[in-house]
């Protein structure tokens, strides 16, 4: 059997979708399809028609034809079976069986045809298998979307924090400046209302309409007179282009000049950054949410040797409604011999040991619902290892003093165990008047002048960048100042490789819908 082409045409012979499985020119296939309606007689009930060279095996689908073009030596019984399979697939991808509906789903139909016919021969597949093959999800696409969403969420958080800092700085500047009302007035009515509310200025004479200006000015003058003699509060000037300034002082100008000289990479009001790299969990959408979470604590010596390695993990459960709380959880692990599991006291330990099923000792009892925070823990485990091959990321720092400068070269080497996300390597520095001179870097850098820390950021470390380096120069200093180096990152796979396979309901019915989240993140990761 050799199928030359699988096509969907109109009654007039217009080709809507055609997939050729042998080398064939476009003119030839269009000629074969155009000749087909002339060969089909009216009132006949045949499912095939032959010419000197080819055979058409066809089936009407409403106002269209689904047909196979084969050679005359092909087995017609197998051709009919192939045609029957294609006729079942077409309605799965096309909502309306007309020319417009076929054209909209053209690519999906071609992909489905390719799964049924390979090099002109029929594959032994079912409709369900074809749909599964065509809908196969891409891990790389998921990871890319996860990275993009992480960037968007981080940017939104930075925007909110900066907006709050700008508003606070404007209020503080107004309190220490006599002419603050004029600058305040130029900011717009929305800003005026919020600022006056913060300063507890009452405008009892009536809003911002006619007759209210005099009363408002009196209150502001009264407030300014009370604050005379008080030194102005320290505030950070808003970044350029983000709003009107509430008053220029000599200190503000110096700060703006320093920002400009350093390329706006120094931010004075940088809040302390938590060492944990755990990302905020998205809101719950499914009735059941199961989270596999591992915290990594690692201490490395400067020469690369491993001082300590500890992994603590847990399986957390969150349930929205009590009616969905009667079930058991089927899990599987990667068989890591170094991982020691420990179940919750209310979990049937024997059931877990024998069948890897997490269920309550009393099957008539429901799991807790509506937990705040991360949920209730079903399973905990721990892994302690002295093998350096288990370390996901090694950091080497090579500082050297030459004259009045210190040259620092830092390298990272990531193992193939995990793909690391949102990697930040924080290097402590001595107090500097200017940002360090970064000469080469694989990724991005940022200098926190308040804490004297240089942060090296890599969004994703995968097979394309398992190693990287950064070189920078600072004034001559003691080389021990660059330690300890702290690292934080996250990953979507774990050391235990624990996964939830299924959620089995105890009261019958279909399995409840559940969401599974898997995350590894650093709690403390130091190079000392």
């Amino acid at each position: 059997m050799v199928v030359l082409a699988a096509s969907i045409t109109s009654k007039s012979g217009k080709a809507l979708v055609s997939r050729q499985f042998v080398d064939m020119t476009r003119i030839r296939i269009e000629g074969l399809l155009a000749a087909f309606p002339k060969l089909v007689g009216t009132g006949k009930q045949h499912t095939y028609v032959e010419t000197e060279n080819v055979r058409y095996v066809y089936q009407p689908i409403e106002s269209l034809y689904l047909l196979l073009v084969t050679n005359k030596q092909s087995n017609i019984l197998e051709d009919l079976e192939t045609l029957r399979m294609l006729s079942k697939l077409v309605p799965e991808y096309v909502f309306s069986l007309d020319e417009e509906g076929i054209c909209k789903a053209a690519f999906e139909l071609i992909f489905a045809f390719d799964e049924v016919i390979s090099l002109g021969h029929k594959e032994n597949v079912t409709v369900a298998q074809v749909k599964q093959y065509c809908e196969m999800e891409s891990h790389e696409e998921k990871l890319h979307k996860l990275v993009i969403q992480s960037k968007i969420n981080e940017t939104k958080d930075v925007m909110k924090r900066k907006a709050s800092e700008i508003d606070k700085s404007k209020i503080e500047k107004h309190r220490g400046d006599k002419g603050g009302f004029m600058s305040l007035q130029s900011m717009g009515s929305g800003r005026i209302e919020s600022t006056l509310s913060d300063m507890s200025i009452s405008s009892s004479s009536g809003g911002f309409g006619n007759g209210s200006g005099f009363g408002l000015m009196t209150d502001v003058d009264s407030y300014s007179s009370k604050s005379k003699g008080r030194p102005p509060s320290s505030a950070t000037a808003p970044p350029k282009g983000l709003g009107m300034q509430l008053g220029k002082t000599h200190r503000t100008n110096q700060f703006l000049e320093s920002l400009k000289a350093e390329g706006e990479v120094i931010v004075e009001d940088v809040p302390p950054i938590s060492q944990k790299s755990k990302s905020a969990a998205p809101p719950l959408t499914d009735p059941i949410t199961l989270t596999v979470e591992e915290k990594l604590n690692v201490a490395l010596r400067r020469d690369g040797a491993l001082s300590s390695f500890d992994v603590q993990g847990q399986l957390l459960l969150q349930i929205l409604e009590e009616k969905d709380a009667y079930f058991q959880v089927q899990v599987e692990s990667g068989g890591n011999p170094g991982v020691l599991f420990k179940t919750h006291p209310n979990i049937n330990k024997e059931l877990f040991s024998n069948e890897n099923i997490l269920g309550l000792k009393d099957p008539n009892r429901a799991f807790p619902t509506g937990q705040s925070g991360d949920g209730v823990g079903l399973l905990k485990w721990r892994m302690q290892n002295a093998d350096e091959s288990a370390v996901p990321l090694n950091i080497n720092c090579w500082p050297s003093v030459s004259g009045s400068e210190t040259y620092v070269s830092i390298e990272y080497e990531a193992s193939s165990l995990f793909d690391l996300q949102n990697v930040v390597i924080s290097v402590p520095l001595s107090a500097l008047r200017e940002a360090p001179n970064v000469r080469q870097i694989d990724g991005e850098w940022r200098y926190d002048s308040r804490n004297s820390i240089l942060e090296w950021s890599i969004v994703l470390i995968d097979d394309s960048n398992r190693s990287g380096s950064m070189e920078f120069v600072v004034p001559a200093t003691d080389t021990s100042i660059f330690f300890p180096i702290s690292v934080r990152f996250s990953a979507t796979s774990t050391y235990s490789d624990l996964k939830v396979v299924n959620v089995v309901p105890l009261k019958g019915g279909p399995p409840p819908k559940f969401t599974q989240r898997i995350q590894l993140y650093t709690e403390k990761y130091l190079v000392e």
Side-chain angles (χ1 to χ4, degrees), residues 38-94:
K38 302 173 185 178
L39 300 173
V40 179
T42 58
K44 296 182 179 179
Q45 299 297 324
H46 298 297
T47 57
Y48 73 95
V49 63
E50 293 182 350
T51 65
E52 295 181 359
N53 300 318
V54 298
R55 176 189 296 147
Y56 298 93
V57 184
Y58 64 92
Q59 177 179 332
I61 303 178
E62 296 188 3
S63 61
L64 308 173
Y65 281 119
L66 171 64
L67 69 134
L68 300 178
V69 182
T70 71
N71 56 18
K72 297 184 69 173
Q73 292 75 32
S74 176
N75 188 331
I76 191 170
L77 295 178
E78 292 187 5
D79 294 340
L80 290 173
E81 182 65 26
T82 304
L83 184 67
R84 191 178 299 109
M85 172 63 71
L86 296 182
S87 66
K88 294 179 181 178
L89 281 173
V90 171
E92 295 289 338
Y93 293 96
V94 181

Side-chain angles (χ1 to χ4, degrees), residues 338-528:
V339 178
L340 302 176
F341 292 99
K342 185 177 182 180
T343 59
H344 190 277
N346 293 331
I347 296 295
N348 190 331
K349 296 182 180 179
E350 184 177 356
L351 184 63
F352 173 73
S353 300
N354 298 332
E355 302 181 27
N356 281 342
I357 294 178
L358 293 169
L360 294 174
K361 293 179 180 179
D362 183 2
N364 297 320
R365 182 180 174 185
F367 282 108
T369 60
Q371 306 91 1
S372 60
D374 294 332
V376 62
L378 302 181
L379 185 68
K380 291 185 178 182
W381 60 93
R382 188 168 187 175
M383 174 183 171
Q384 292 180 326
N385 201 334
D387 188 1
E388 295 180 3
S389 63
V391 177
L393 189 66
N394 284 293
I395 307 295
N396 295 315
C397 181
W398 305 88
S400 61
V401 180
S402 177
S404 60
E405 294 179 324
T406 301
Y407 296 82
V408 183
S409 177
I410 300 179
E411 298 175 329
Y412 75 79
E413 292 182 7
S415 70
S416 58
L417 294 173
F418 308 107
D419 291 342
L420 307 181
Q421 304 171 13
N422 301 321
V423 181
V424 179
I425 302 171
S426 300
V427 184
L429 306 177
S430 57
L432 302 176
R433 298 180 61 183
E434 298 179 354
N437 179 16
V438 178
R439 296 189 173 184
Q440 184 273 329
I441 187 170
D442 296 325
E444 299 178 351
W445 67 278
R446 173 181 171 276
Y447 177 53
D448 179 2
S449 61
R450 168 173 289 182
N451 299 309
S452 296
I453 293 177
L454 177 62
E455 294 184 344
W456 178 12
S457 303
I458 307 102
V459 175
L460 175 66
I461 296 179
D462 56 13
D463 291 335
S464 63
N465 59 342
R466 291 294 178 190
S467 62
S469 62
M470 175 179 68
E471 297 178 5
F472 63 93
V473 181
V474 295
T477 185
D478 184 8
T479 56
S480 62
I481 197 68
F482 303 110
F483 297 92
I485 298 174
S486 63
V487 185
R488 62 182 187 273
F489 57 81
S490 62
T492 55
S493 54
T494 59
Y495 283 92
S496 64
D497 202 21
L498 184 77
K499 292 181 177 63
V500 176
V501 179
N502 194 16
V503 173
V504 182
L506 294 177
K507 294 189 175 181
K513 190 176 181 182
F514 70 98
T515 298
Q516 180 176 193
R517 299 171 181 168
I518 300 176
Q519 186 180 31
L520 166 74
Y521 64 94
T522 55
E523 186 176 46
K524 189 176 182 182
Y525 200 109
L526 297 176
V527 181
E528 300 171 326

Side-chain angles (χ1 to χ4, degrees), residues 137-148 421:
E137 296 180 348
S138 169
H139 175 71
E140 288 76 9
E141 181 183 2
K142 279 186 175 181
L143 187 58
H144 175 73
K145 290 182 178 179
L146 183 65
V147 172
I148 295 299
Q421 304 171 13

